[in-house]
Amino acid sequence: MDVAGTEVAPRKRANRGGAARVGLMALPVAFFAVFFAYPVAAIVARGLRVDGVWRLGRLADVPAQPDIQHVLWFTTWQALVSTTLTLLVAMPGAYVFARLDFPGKQLLRAVVTVPFVLPTVVVGTAFLALVGRGGLLDDLWGVRLDTTVWAILLAHVFFNYAVVVRTVGGLWAQLDPRQEEAARVLGASRAAAWRTVTLPALGPAVAAAALMVFLFTFTSFGVVQILGGPTFSTLEVEIYRQTSEIFDLSTAAVLTIVQFLAVGAILVVHAWTVRRRESALRLVDASRTARRPRGAGQWALLVLVLATVAVLLVLPLAVLVARSLDAPGFAYYEALTHADGGTFLVAPVNAIGNSLAYAGAATLIAVLIGSLAAAALTRRDAGRLVRGFDALLMLPLGVSAVTVGFGFLISLDRPPLDLRGSWILVPLAQALVGAPFVVRTMLPVLRAVDERLREAAAVLGASPWRVWREVDLPIVRRALLIAAGFAFAVSLGEFGATVFIARPDNPTLPVAVARLLARPGDLNYGQAMALSTILMVVCAVALLVLERLRTDRTGEF
């Protein structure tokens, strides 16, 4: 009897765990199926079906064209180089924010994150002011980098620096430093101890950060369109050109499929390699690991990171602020309070409230969907279907936002999903981009939790929900707040899909900036710079509040 009981109990716990995973996955699967897979499939099908006839031969003809092959080659190699440069430049910053404590750290962390939430068209314009004709480099040294790949690469590092700092630094701050200290006591040098102890532990977070950077640069749109000129074009830019300028929806659909397949293959390889390297880690309270800089080496590293932030991140932002103040007084800012009846049905300043409301709703959706998905993917005994879902969650970051936006318009236009006139359409599109950040931020920490803690709680009779509340949540709530911050920041800056679905009487900040940049005249350009400056301030304040909340209310565990 006892033997039978001991055999049945583990089986019941396994069945209960499997049922719990299915329950956790149900809502994320439904969300991505209805608001991602269905719209993308609808727009692709419309592009490949002409007059009721499927033109599947285009799937082979389009990629074979020499100009398309050039686009594919440039898209791939610039993404690889951009990702490598971002990791090299940002890893020291991740260490400084994770291990060092210094005055102004919270403010600096918010400043570092602000570039990531800026619309890409604004990032491209800022770097054009730095490296283009009449820009800062041209005025000082007569050097121009516009229409060169270096301008694109620098802008990509500027844009993605925060991804590495916050994703890798979030886990790094929770690693027990005593493990590396033990290696030093046994005779390992500082470099050897970091290479053999810390780096393997950071592997999943580094891979997650590299994946996100690669996807963003692989699908780069605004930066390449502005800085690349007619010479350089990514898949995303080509899809936009084929859709909006040439009106060749068939070619755009084929390129969307190519991009989709390429990103899918990358995600499958990533999921396989990262899972092989994951292990249970000894995590501690992040507030106990940061110390004042000690020794010349740490002070030099801090100075280097501060100099990098000042030159690479703050300088472009300063250019935007300066451009917004070019007119006497605050004329550009004052002009934002007036509706002109042309581009906007309301005063452009109303976009501030719209963006905050949309981003707040999108953050709630993204945190709910992403948290459920991350919890379902935590168990190491999950089947292949669950592990495949891990990769699928990242696909919205690798599919053209132009395709998603058009897909929303043509697929969510009839009952029971006629959402064209509903305000929720914008947060749903923004949450599609925010949810993968929630998953990628929480998953390394969740999988680092010792599985024996969950098993012990289950043996004592705790339900899966109570196991999550009592074991996982105290450890991952810091990562949850970081994920919420990322989702909010991404939602504020989302442009590609929002530009197609935001109503003229309710524009978001990025949409308003893009519309102003598209209109000729110094007044419109100045208003765009003023709105961009407001967006930077709003993001900085929101992220600073998040930093204080995370520091004050992240308890000990």
Side-chain angles (χ1 to χ4, degrees):
M1 177 69 78
D2 292 339
V3 173
T6 57
E7 292 177 350
V8 171
R11 191 180 305 119
K12 287 183 176 179
R13 290 197 298 271
N15 292 337
R16 185 170 59 179
R21 283 197 302 274
V22 173
L24 291 170
M25 287 179 57
L27 185 59
V29 168
F31 177 79
F32 280 94
V34 173
F35 298 112
F36 174 67
Y38 175 53
V40 171
I43 191 67
V44 170
R46 178 166 294 192
L48 293 179
R49 190 175 182 180
V50 180
D51 297 329
V53 179
W54 289 94
R55 302 180 61 185
L56 298 182
R58 299 282 290 168
L59 294 174
D61 296 339
V62 171
Q65 299 173 9
D67 56 336
I68 299 299
Q69 289 183 350
H70 176 74
V71 170
L72 291 172
W73 168 243
F74 174 75
T75 300
T76 303
W77 82 258
Q78 67 81 24
L80 289 172
V81 175
S82 296
T83 302
T84 302
L85 286 176
T86 303
L87 288 174
L88 291 175
V89 173
M91 282 296 288
Y95 171 82
V96 165
F97 281 105
R99 292 299 199 210
L100 301 185
D101 187 21
F102 52 91
K105 180 178 178 179
Q106 294 179 9
L107 176 60
L108 188 63
R109 193 192 300 270
V111 171
V112 164
T113 309
V114 167
F116 180 71
V117 304
L118 291 177
T120 53
V121 290
V122 177
V123 175
T125 303
F127 270 82
L128 192 63
L130 286 176
V131 302
R133 182 187 300 274
L136 184 62
L137 293 183
D138 192 15
D139 291 341
L140 294 178
W141 299 291
V143 176
R144 289 183 54 192
L145 297 176
D146 58 323
T147 68
T148 70
V149 72
W150 282 108
I152 295 173
L153 297 178
L154 288 175
H156 283 165
V157 176
F158 166 89
F159 188 75
N160 293 290
Y161 185 90
V163 175
V164 177
V165 168
R166 297 186 72 94
T167 303
V168 178
L171 180 59
W172 204 338
Q174 292 183 272
L175 293 181
D176 191 344
R178 291 175 294 183
Q179 298 182 29
E180 188 172 326
E181 292 170 0
R184 295 290 308 281
V185 170
L186 295 175
S189 64
R190 185 180 297 275
W194 183 84
R195 187 179 64 254
T196 58
V197 177
T198 304
L199 184 58
L202 291 174
V206 173
L211 172 68
M212 287 189 284
V213 174
F214 183 86
L215 287 179
F216 277 118
T217 52
F218 189 83
T219 59
S220 183
F221 174 57
V223 169
V224 177
Q225 187 180 38
I226 293 176
L227 298 178
T231 306
F232 303 107
S233 178
T234 58
L235 271 173
E236 188 84 358
V237 174
E238 189 65 22
I239 291 172
Y240 177 81
R241 191 175 72 89
Q242 294 289 340
T243 303
S244 302
E245 298 178 9
I246 303 178
F247 304 107
D248 187 350
L249 193 58
S250 176
T251 298
V254 173
L255 295 180
T256 296
I257 294 175
V258 171
Q259 183 170 295
F260 187 87
L261 293 176
V263 172
I266 295 166
L267 294 177
V268 169
V269 173
H270 167 81
W272 180 76
T273 55
V274 170
R275 193 168 187 84
R276 288 173 61 91
R277 299 173 60 183
E278 287 174 346
S279 59
L281 303 177
R282 187 175 181 181
L283 302 181
V284 298
D285 185 356
S287 63
R288 299 176 179 176
T289 62
R291 301 175 179 176
R292 302 283 292 182
R294 295 180 297 182
Q298 290 190 347
W299 279 108
L301 184 61
L302 176 59
V303 171
L304 175 63
V305 170
L306 292 177
T308 301
V309 171
V311 174
L312 183 64
L313 305 184
V314 176
L315 185 58
L317 302 183
V319 171
L320 291 181
V321 176
R323 291 292 181 91
S324 73
L325 298 174
D326 276 348
F330 295 91
Y332 292 147
Y333 290 90
E334 184 181 355
L336 296 176
T337 62
H338 305 293
D340 59 8
T343 302
F344 301 101
L345 299 180
V346 296
V349 73
N350 290 351
I352 300 172
N354 296 336
S355 288
L356 292 175
Y358 287 144
T363 299
L364 293 177
I365 298 171
V367 168
L368 174 62
I369 298 299
S371 298
L372 292 175
L377 296 169
T378 299
R379 294 292 296 270
R380 303 179 196 284
D381 57 349
R384 291 183 178 179
L385 181 62
V386 177
R387 294 197 297 270
F389 182 61
D390 184 7
L392 291 176
L393 289 172
M394 295 297 293
L395 284 179
L397 299 182
V399 172
S400 170
V402 175
T403 301
V404 174
F406 274 138
F408 267 49
L409 292 179
I410 70 171
S411 62
L412 304 179
D413 60 345
R414 60 180 63 89
L417 289 174
D418 187 0
L419 302 177
R420 289 173 301 176
S422 175
W423 66 271
I424 196 64
L425 198 62
V426 173
L428 287 172
Q430 294 173 344
L432 277 174
V433 182
F437 280 93
V438 177
V439 176
R440 292 266 69 85
T441 303
M442 294 186 62
L443 202 53
V445 179
L446 277 172
R447 284 178 170 169
V449 177
D450 194 335
E451 186 67 25
R452 291 172 296 182
L453 296 176
R454 300 189 182 100
E455 294 174 352
V459 168
L460 294 175
S463 64
W465 164 247
R466 188 173 181 183
V467 171
W468 161 259
R469 188 177 69 249
E470 301 291 343
V471 177
D472 293 52
L473 184 58
I475 297 177
V476 304
R477 56 187 170 192
R478 180 176 185 274
L480 183 62
L481 287 173
I482 295 175
F486 256 132
F488 184 80
V490 170
S491 299
L492 276 178
E494 205 286 322
F495 170 72
T498 306
V499 69
F500 295 102
I501 56 180
R503 296 186 303 183
D505 58 339
N506 286 293
T508 63
L509 278 170
V511 171
V513 169
R515 290 177 181 174
L516 287 169
L517 286 174
R519 302 176 68 185
D522 292 339
L523 179 61
N524 291 317
Y525 186 81
Q527 289 184 83
M529 295 301 101
L531 272 182
S532 299
T533 301
I534 292 173
L535 176 57
M536 287 190 291
V537 173
V538 170
C539 293
V541 171
L543 293 170
L544 184 59
V545 170
L546 177 68
E547 290 299 320
R548 291 188 177 277
L549 176 66
R550 186 186 67 179
T551 302
D552 295 341
R553 298 190 179 180
T554 299
E556 298 178 2
F557 49 84

